[in-house]
């Protein structure tokens, strides 16, 4: 016998919104629409062995969670042989 899902009402649905991160170099990243409570955006700009640049980014639910990515970036730099890299964290603003 198939299970029936309860009917969703507006009270059950989280309101979705956009989040914006503005980095020191002027780059602006907009995330959304999302109902998740992200608080910070992180970005790694890596200069590869061949001189090319690669960018990795993500968002987290706390500053502490975002700071943990710094350790991962250091490990990736060694493992992948990056010439250099920059790691940045900025707060997300609801927009």
């Amino acid at each position: 016998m198939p299970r029936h899902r309860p009917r969703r009402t507006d009270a059950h649905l989280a309101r979705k919104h956009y989040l914006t991160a503005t980095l020191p170099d002027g780059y602006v990243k907009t995330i959304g629409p999302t109902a998740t409570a992200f608080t910070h955006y992180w970005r790694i700009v890596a200069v590869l062995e061949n001189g090319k640049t690669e960018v990795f980014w993500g968002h987290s639910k706390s500053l502490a969670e975002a700071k943990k990515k710094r350790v991962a970036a250091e490990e990736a730099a060694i493992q992948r042989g990056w010439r250099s890299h920059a790691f940045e964290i900025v707060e997300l603003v609801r927009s």
Side-chain angles (χ1 to χ4, degrees), residues 72-87:
E74 295 295 333
E75 291 172 356
I78 293 166
Q79 185 180 41
R80 296 182 176 147
W82 295 343
R83 284 188 192 171
S84 65
H85 70 281
F87 181 81

Side-chain angles (χ1 to χ4, degrees), residues 1-7:
M1 181 171 190
R3 293 189 326 173
H4 294 284
R5 295 174 109 178
R7 190 167 187 213

Side-chain angles (χ1 to χ4, degrees), residues 13-18 32-36 94-95:
L13 301 175
R15 181 150 168 80
K16 293 187 177 185
H17 52 273
Y18 288 89
T34 183
T36 306
R94 198 172 189 167
S95 54

Side-chain angles (χ1 to χ4, degrees), residues 10-73:
D10 288 340
H12 291 98
L13 301 175
R15 181 150 168 80
K16 293 187 177 185
H17 52 273
Y18 288 89
L19 300 168
T20 303
T22 304
L23 285 100
D25 64 2
Y27 180 79
V28 177
K29 175 69 176 176
T30 302
I31 301 163
T34 183
T36 306
F38 294 119
T39 61
H40 290 80
Y41 170 86
W42 56 268
R43 176 177 76 170
I44 302 166
V45 180
V47 179
L48 308 179
E49 190 72 24
N50 62 8
K52 292 183 180 181
T53 303
E54 200 165 321
V55 178
F56 305 91
W57 63 271
H59 35 276
S60 59
K61 295 179 182 179
S62 70
L63 178 58
E65 183 183 325
K67 285 182 176 180
K68 289 179 184 176
K69 301 297 182 186
R70 185 180 308 273
V71 175

